[in-house]
Amino acid sequence: MGANHTTTSFLFFATLLYLTTTTAIANDPCASEGDDSDISVIPIYGNCSPFKNYSTSWETTIIDMASKDPLRLQYLSTLVATKRRKRASVAPIASGQAFNIGNYVVRVKLGTPGQLFFMVLDTSTDEAWVPCTGCTGCSSTATYSPQASTTYGGPVACYAPRCGQVRGALPCPSTGSNACTFNQSYAGSTFSATLVQDYLKLATDALPNYAFGCVNSVSGGSIPAQGLLGLGRGPVSLLSQAWSRYSGVFSYCLPSFKSYYFSGSLKLGPTGQPRRIRTTPLLRNPRRPSLYYVNLTGVTVGRVRVPLQSEFLAFDPNRGSGTIIDSGTVITRFVEPVYNAIRDEFRKQVKGPFVSIGAFDTCFVKSYENLAPLIKFQFTGLDLTLPYENILIHSSNGWVACLAMAAAPNNVNSVLNVIANYQQQNLRILFDTVNNKVGIARELCN
Ligand SMILES: *[C@@H]1O[C@H](CO)[C@@H](O)[C@H](O)[C@H]1NC(C)=O
Ligand SMILES: *[C@@H]1O[C@H](CO)[C@@H](O)[C@H](O)[C@H]1NC(C)=O
Ligand SMILES: *[C@@H]1O[C@H](CO)[C@@H](O)[C@H](O)[C@H]1NC(C)=O
């Protein structure tokens, strides 16, 4: 495939996604949180985010985001639990390109008085971290200054049990500082951080002595500029550290990709969660303790239940295979045989010809859109029929639509199926790690 072809595809794709910008709404959607205990979940390149980029069209931004999915899958495949005091598990750095993945940010304050950060929300990571004052290689001017906080609790001791729970914790030095330090890789970068404690403030909640990484150095690319908040289910995540307050329960609703001006919401704790919601068991993989696995048992396209070999869907803790729900992947990725079967059935029901554009291999003339079948994901005890908005991506010129899913990249040895953001738009997803359930309900969350 020549360079010209690639360029043409890219330009074509750049005009592909049709994303309306919504006109003025009553209140300033970007105003800081009020008394509400819900936390705004802001698309990272949306209007309320400090990372919005006026020089890039919103369409191009989304294409760019989806192009980072392979890296996200690679990251997910490295999340294998490590044993303490062995060499830190740091995956090799990918090509020299600057990757910065993370699709949604939340407004968080650290310390007293509160220092504001727009941290990436990541349901597949446990730790929280922010760039620290004096960091080498950090791109942000927003850095956490321990000196400026009256509630700074100092570094966590290297021998403290909490330090041993952090992924990539480094062995305690025999001399000198006794601080807990860890090295991690994140999307093509590696960074080194000290685990410190201070207040973490989320909307109206203040959590004392929150342990998070103060990033001292970054190499090999870039990490989310203002840090990351881990909502995984492992021992150092927000859920675990704030167990007494949130009882291991949270939910989020991701805004529509069309809603540049709007944000979704994150609700922490059992209060205010939907009472009647259909649920499926939440599965726990001790070898990948951060991830939220569910049991995907089948996929229906239109009226046809797609024949899928169960080995590609089966939850297997040893291999890490199965299906997860993730906040950091843009379009749903299935292992190749599963995706191919779904796509082939979808194509059978829609008139071709089909063209490939970027990550999408099933794009067709939009006038055949009325033939497009609904797609239903079947989980144990819960069927989720996706609305069309979560199945198709539309062209700005009005004549192309694409199936908005793809195969896992084959250069990543992935065994995971990942239910991603595009397919989660306007759904409330409830994670209950005590009763081991995931609830899903339609909700207009913009
Ligand atoms: C905005 O996007 C343009 C074009 O992709 C890029 O060159 C520029 O670095 C971006 N600016 C920021 C602040 O990210
Ligand atoms: C941890 O990261 C720092 C800074 O990038 C580096 O100097 C150090 O060698 C790393 N340690 C290990 C064990 O990888
Ligand atoms: C997932 O569902 C299949 C089909 O119902 C069942 O055979 C399997 O035991 C389930 N797996 C888990 C881990 O619950």
Side-chain angles (χ1 to χ4, degrees):
M1 198 180 287
N4 280 345
H5 181 89
T6 309
T7 310
T8 313
S9 297
F10 181 77
L11 291 175
F12 181 37
F13 194 46
T15 61
L16 179 75
L17 304 171
Y18 176 55
L19 298 147
T20 51
T21 45
T22 315
T23 45
I25 61 162
N27 303 310
D28 175 5
C30 305
S32 58
E33 317 279 348
D35 298 334
D36 200 340
S37 60
D38 286 2
I39 298 144
S40 295
V41 175
I42 304 163
I44 194 164
Y45 299 114
N47 192 50
C48 301
S49 165
F51 307 111
K52 69 185 165 198
N53 184 341
Y54 290 118
S55 65
T56 313
S57 74
W58 184 231
E59 294 85 341
T60 307
T61 301
I62 292 187
I63 296 160
D64 189 42
M65 286 167 77
S67 74
K68 290 167 187 164
D69 278 352
L71 206 69
R72 175 71 184 177
L73 268 77
Q74 193 176 50
Y75 172 68
L76 295 174
S77 72
T78 65
L79 293 179
V80 176
T82 50
K83 291 220 173 63
R84 183 83 199 275
R85 306 298 173 226
K86 279 182 141 179
R87 256 185 78 93
S89 123
V90 175
I93 300 172
S95 66
Q97 240 177 308
F99 288 111
N100 190 356
I101 58 177
N103 303 328
Y104 299 94
V105 289
V106 288
R107 201 192 311 252
V108 175
K109 284 183 177 164
L110 289 171
T112 311
Q115 303 175 32
L116 177 67
F117 296 91
F118 284 83
M119 293 166 85
V120 161
L121 179 75
D122 190 335
T123 56
S124 297
T125 298
D126 291 339
E127 294 79 9
W129 37 264
V130 285
C132 215
T133 299
C135 169
T136 33
C138 290
S139 61
S140 176
T141 49
T143 55
Y144 167 72
S145 168
Q147 285 75 21
S149 172
T150 58
T151 46
Y152 176 58
V156 171
C158 187
Y159 288 101
R162 174 142 286 164
C163 185
Q165 297 168 337
V166 172
R167 195 168 59 88
L170 297 177
C172 295
S174 45
T175 55
S177 162
N178 196 23
C180 174
T181 53
F182 62 96
N183 281 16
Q184 285 188 2
S185 62
Y186 193 83
S189 302
T190 54
F191 67 85
S192 183
T194 306
L195 192 68
V196 301
Q197 294 179 84
D198 206 336
Y199 265 81
L200 175 106
K201 292 170 188 160
L202 278 163
T204 52
D205 291 349
L207 309 169
N209 299 319
Y210 197 81
F212 59 93
C214 202
V215 175
N216 306 309
S217 67
V218 182
S219 59
S222 60
I223 57 175
Q226 296 192 19
L228 176 143
L229 183 64
L231 272 182
R233 56 186 312 203
V236 285
S237 76
L238 177 65
L239 276 197
S240 301
Q241 290 198 46
W243 189 266
S244 58
R245 187 178 297 242
Y246 300 133
S247 312
V249 174
F250 73 100
S251 73
Y252 61 72
C253 187
L254 301 180
S256 162
F257 270 75
K258 293 175 185 165
S259 63
Y260 177 66
Y261 285 92
F262 292 121
S263 51
S265 73
L266 171 68
K267 289 181 203 277
L268 295 163
T271 316
Q273 301 294 0
R275 288 176 185 212
R276 286 195 193 163
I277 190 165
R278 288 169 309 142
T279 64
T280 185
L282 173 61
L283 307 175
R284 190 174 176 281
N285 180 347
R287 300 193 67 234
R288 297 182 185 213
S290 319
L291 304 181
Y292 293 100
Y293 280 89
V294 288
N295 195 16
L296 179 71
T297 57
V299 175
T300 299
V301 175
R303 290 167 178 219
V304 178
R305 184 161 170 132
V306 180
L308 299 172
Q309 277 173 272
S310 59
E311 61 173 294
F312 297 120
L313 298 180
F315 173 66
D316 179 346
N318 290 322
R319 288 172 62 235
S321 64
T323 302
I324 64 161
I325 298 186
D326 181 44
S327 69
T329 309
V330 178
I331 55 168
T332 291
R333 303 273 178 166
F334 293 105
V335 297
E336 203 165 9
V338 171
Y339 175 71
N340 289 351
I342 295 169
R343 176 205 58 201
D344 291 350
E345 182 55 44
F346 183 91
R347 285 185 180 180
K348 243 191 241 173
Q349 298 180 38
V350 183
K351 279 206 175 74
F354 298 99
V355 292
S356 282
I357 297 162
F360 306 105
D361 69 1
T362 299
C363 299
F364 52 94
V365 176
K366 192 174 169 265
S367 49
Y368 295 134
E369 197 184 324
N370 58 338
L371 300 172
L374 284 172
I375 295 181
K376 183 160 71 181
F377 293 162
Q378 280 139 317
F379 302 101
T380 303
L382 185 156
D383 283 357
L384 173 65
T385 301
L386 299 173
Y388 280 116
E389 182 199 26
N390 296 9
I391 297 173
L392 300 173
I393 280 185
H394 289 119
S395 70
S396 50
N397 57 23
W399 45 270
V400 178
C402 304
L403 173 63
M405 298 176 198
N410 51 21
N411 60 344
V412 175
N413 183 23
S414 185
V415 290
L416 269 185
N417 299 301
V418 180
I419 309 293
N421 303 155
Y422 204 86
Q423 280 64 42
Q424 294 177 41
Q425 298 175 83
N426 288 317
L427 297 175
R428 177 144 308 266
I429 309 208
L430 172 70
F431 298 87
D432 180 340
T433 64
V434 175
N435 299 306
N436 288 311
K437 284 178 185 167
V438 174
I440 305 182
R442 292 286 280 277
E443 180 180 321
L444 210 60
C445 62
N446 299 312

